[in-house]
């Protein structure tokens, strides 16, 4: 919690605790506030080379190293690392598990505390307060202060990570030199809210959810509901082209007309996605975080005037979308760019031609990697990093 | 079962039984075969004015009269009736509940029979054989024969109804003077299969489904799973524009940040849709019928050559799509039209400008109604009706 942290060693990680807690938009206070995070690279003496990465709905802080639960590679290893677009030889890269998450930051699976911060001997569960994207950003600001960083060289993120990037630039404009909101929007659409609602209904409908108190039954979790939630979300992450190319109408095995069997490749794939996900994600966190996304509407406090949110901003922006992304379509990035232009902001925009859908921001898209890397190098040169 | 039926009175309805049963694509035989149906208008002496309407996934035979379970108006009353585009003053209109359905035709909730047609004293449930769209059409053909109709003036349907229309024209070309496949495709896409799979997973995951034997527990049905299935399907029926216009980001009531509450209008709407649906639909039928749609691939037996399916067809076609339909996008109707052109078929095509999504085929779309009505009048004049 010191404001004068020493330069941090490579591969730093910690669960930082802030005794004073965090006051949330809903009025509740979470105290102490826990922020679990990972750092890659080395913070320079001027503390001017720090890049914050904000993760998406089901991401976490394990950006560029194997995941401790699944053992799979970090979720953005193709972008973050030595010599990569987010170059850890040059930049100090930080990623924190979001508030409301389930990888060590304060959230539904963590121990519940009372108003004085005393542990209650059981998880928060559904009694964890409602959080907003801005609450997530405020929690990250605590970590920033602890690290003694005055201004992020850049804040970067895709999907819900991009919502946090926008919220960072809106709430703490002087703390963000460059911002890269990717494959996102300034508000969550009705269709996206509706798909989230299906996922939540699936979790609520699973009797193993037990009104959110599944932690009372050691080992039992609402696995079926969470898997269905993941399945429907996963479809929205892929384009029709990507689904067709990967699975098309190929039948599995010969007995094409067996009732209730795994017949189409796509079904088996989705079932697999659903079942690995439940091992690493908490159902109540899924409810909390999807709700935060659904509430996101950056211009709401300005009566819908998005340009007013960014008027006079010192931040430079890099907005990127993907042509086949139908969850956060290019039209929504264009609306954001129009607002930034109207606010006289420094903004560049690129639509990447890709048939991989929303997931493209996580995948091997060389044009995207080149554009993002170039933007960050330009920002670094500006501040002399 | 007589081939020499007398002219039928207005508002005829029946559950026709065919003792010889029906041999299905999967090799099973359902005997006796039940086909529940409704008729509107009057069959003329030449039996030349009959129009068959094929219903969609969750539709049924109650096209133009109140539904016996919900009391709501018939699902196509704005198109079918006296003086309407499908004019019951001029045409005799027939609609049968599909094979595998749950409104009286042979299907999972009906009494199981053995190979000799003897009742087993319990429903088929998941032991009802796997059916195809072609099986559905073959069952309707039994009804056609019973009514003494040699050729339908037209076969008309949207969505899965359109799949049946195409299958009718492919399987019984001489029995179909005119065909109107609406908002459909010649095969089911990977994305559509994936959305169906989510719905099925939600049903399978509901413990009240009991492996399909929920009928053993009087009164208990897999309501939550079926509701989630309906919710996800319903989103695919609407366009983003329609969802936004109807519900947008309007919050319900004041407490916008209450955890796990009905907050967004869209959520409440979807929950309502899910809950009325379960009163009238059977979960095992939902599994059976979605699977039939997923298997639909009209060109499969021709090695993917859709034109070969229709080469030399005597049927005249009217293909219609809706601009904001992303479940069965216009591109798939265009592919169908290209194949029909390549087969030298008589085909007209219209894309209706609408922002109502797939559901548009059921809604008040005057341009569509005019185009369909005109096509049917033209066909009627050709055959002198």
């Amino acid at each position: 919690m010191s404001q004068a942290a020493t330069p941090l060693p490579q591969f730093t990680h910690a669960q930082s605790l802030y005794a004073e807690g965090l006051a949330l938009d809903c009025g509740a206070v979470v105290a102490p506030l826990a922020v679990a995070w990972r750092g890659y690279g080395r913070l320079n003496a001027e503390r001017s080379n720090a890049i914050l990465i904000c993760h998406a709905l089901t991401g976490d802080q394990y950006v560029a190293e194997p995941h401790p639960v699944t053992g799979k590679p970090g979720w953005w290893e193709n972008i973050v690392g030595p010599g990569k677009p987010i170059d850890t030889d040059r930049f100090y890269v930080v990623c924190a598990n979001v508030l409301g998450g389930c990888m060590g930051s304060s959230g539904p699976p963590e121990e519940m505390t009372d108003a004085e911060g005393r542990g209650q001997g059981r998880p928060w569960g559904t009694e964890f307060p409602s959080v907003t994207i801005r609450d997530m950003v405020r929690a990250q600001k605590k970590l920033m202060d602890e690290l003694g960083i005055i201004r992020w060289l850049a804040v970067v993120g895709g999907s819900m990570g991009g919502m946090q990037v926008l919220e960072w630039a809106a709430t703490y404009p002087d703390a963000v030199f460059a911002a890269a909101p990717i494959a996102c929007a300034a508000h969550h659409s009705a269709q996206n809210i509706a798909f989230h609602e299906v996922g939540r209904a699936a979790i609520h409908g699973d009797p193993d959810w037990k009104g959110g108190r599944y932690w009372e039954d050691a080992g039992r979790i609402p696995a079926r509901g969470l898997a269905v939630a993941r399945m429907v979300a996963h479809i929205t992450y892929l384009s029709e082209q990507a689904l067709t190319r990967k699975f098309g109408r190929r039948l599995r095995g010969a007995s094409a007309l067996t009732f209730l069997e795994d017949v189409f490749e796509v079904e088996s794939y989705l079932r697999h996605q659903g079942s690995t996900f439940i091992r690493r994600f908490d159902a109540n966190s899924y409810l909390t975080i999807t709700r935060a996304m659904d509430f996101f509407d950056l211009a709401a406090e300005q009566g819908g005037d998005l340009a007013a949110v960014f008027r006079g901003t010192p931040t430079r922006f890099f907005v990127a979308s993907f042509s086949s992304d139908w969850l956060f379509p290019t039209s929504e990035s264009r609306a954001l760019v129009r607002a930034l232009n109207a606010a006289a902001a420094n903004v560049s925009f690129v639509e990447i031609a890709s048939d991989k859908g929303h997931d493209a921001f996580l995948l091997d898209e060389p044009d995207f990697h080149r554009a993002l890397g170039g933007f960050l190098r330009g920002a670094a040169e500006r501040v002399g990093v």
Side-chain angles (χ1 to χ4, degrees), chain A residues 305-321:
Chain A
D305 180 2
L306 188 56
V309 175
F310 293 109
R311 198 146 286 143
T313 180
T315 302
R316 56 185 55 212
F317 290 85
F318 168 80
V319 178
S321 70

Side-chain angles (χ1 to χ4, degrees), chain A residues 41-379:
Chain A
R42 192 176 294 275
L43 187 61
N44 65 13
E46 300 79 21
R47 294 185 165 80
S48 62
N49 71 331
I51 292 180
L52 177 69
I53 293 180
C54 302
H55 70 71
L57 166 58
T58 62
D60 52 40
Q61 65 271 42
Y62 297 96
V63 175
E65 62 192 303
H67 193 276
V69 176
T70 65
K72 288 182 183 172
W75 59 268
W76 230 7
E77 285 201 9
N78 54 2
I79 285 195
V80 180
K84 296 190 176 167
I86 301 182
D87 186 351
T88 51
D89 285 341
R90 187 173 190 181
F91 307 126
Y92 175 62
V93 175
V94 171
C95 184
N97 186 216
V98 294
L99 179 70
C102 52
M103 289 299 285
S105 289
S106 294
E110 296 292 308
E111 187 184 2
M112 187 178 182
T113 50
D114 67 9
E116 282 74 44
R118 286 183 299 252
Q120 301 297 297
R122 68 155 180 102
W124 284 98
T126 56
E127 290 176 71
F128 191 76
S130 205
V131 305
T132 62
I133 299 292
R134 186 157 55 182
D135 291 330
M136 294 177 181
V137 166
R138 287 185 184 122
Q140 293 159 2
K141 181 65 162 57
K142 295 266 188 190
L143 172 62
M144 184 189 197
D145 293 343
E146 178 189 349
L147 297 175
I149 295 167
I150 303 300
R151 192 175 65 180
W152 299 110
L153 172 59
V155 183
V156 181
S159 199
M160 187 183 79
M163 292 177 171
Q164 294 165 69
V165 172
L166 293 172
E167 192 72 66
W168 260 103
T171 307
Y172 303 109
D174 295 325
V176 182
F177 182 73
I182 298 154
C184 68
H187 73 276
H188 216 212
S189 72
Q191 190 174 76
N192 291 359
I193 293 170
F195 278 124
H196 274 173
E197 178 63 7
V198 170
R200 289 190 292 261
I203 292 169
H204 294 162
D206 186 337
D208 288 336
W209 182 59
K210 293 180 185 298
R213 299 175 72 91
Y214 49 88
W215 40 268
E216 288 177 344
D217 251 352
R220 282 196 78 77
I221 55 168
R224 288 163 299 187
L226 190 55
V228 169
R230 176 64 165 177
M231 285 171 69
V232 66
H234 200 82
I235 299 172
T236 68
Y237 302 155
L238 298 181
S239 65
E240 169 66 33
Q241 300 98 302
L243 270 168
T244 301
R245 190 176 49 241
K246 274 185 176 163
F247 312 104
R249 296 188 54 82
R250 242 179 307 144
L251 302 180
R252 300 183 70 233
S255 58
L257 288 172
T258 312
F259 190 72
L260 299 182
E261 297 278 340
D262 242 349
V263 177
F264 296 105
E265 292 278 354
V266 66
E267 301 179 355
S268 144
Y269 173 75
L270 286 168
R271 287 203 176 114
H272 172 75
Q273 283 289 327
S275 64
T276 57
F277 177 62
I278 59 173
R279 288 170 45 221
R280 67 173 180 86
F281 217 85
D282 176 71
N284 287 334
S285 276
Y286 196 85
L287 298 172
T288 298
I289 299 174
T290 54
R291 190 65 85 183
M293 290 181 75
D294 292 353
F295 280 122
F296 186 63
D297 187 0
L298 202 55
E301 291 176 6
Q302 301 288 344
D305 180 2
L306 188 56
V309 175
F310 293 109
R311 198 146 286 143
T313 180
T315 302
R316 56 185 55 212
F317 290 85
F318 168 80
V319 178
S321 70
F322 297 89
S323 56
S324 60
D325 183 350
W326 58 279
L327 194 65
F328 291 100
T330 290
S331 58
E332 298 194 346
S333 282
R334 283 193 200 283
L336 172 61
V337 169
R338 273 196 303 274
L340 288 166
N341 282 332
N346 180 339
V347 54
S348 64
F349 167 62
V350 61
E351 182 193 38
I352 304 293
S354 165
D355 67 359
K356 294 176 186 148
H358 184 61
D359 257 2
F361 87 89
L362 297 168
L363 301 174
D364 183 32
E365 289 285 357
D367 286 349
F368 167 57
H369 296 180
R370 266 192 296 273
L372 177 62
F375 172 72
L376 294 175
R377 280 194 303 278

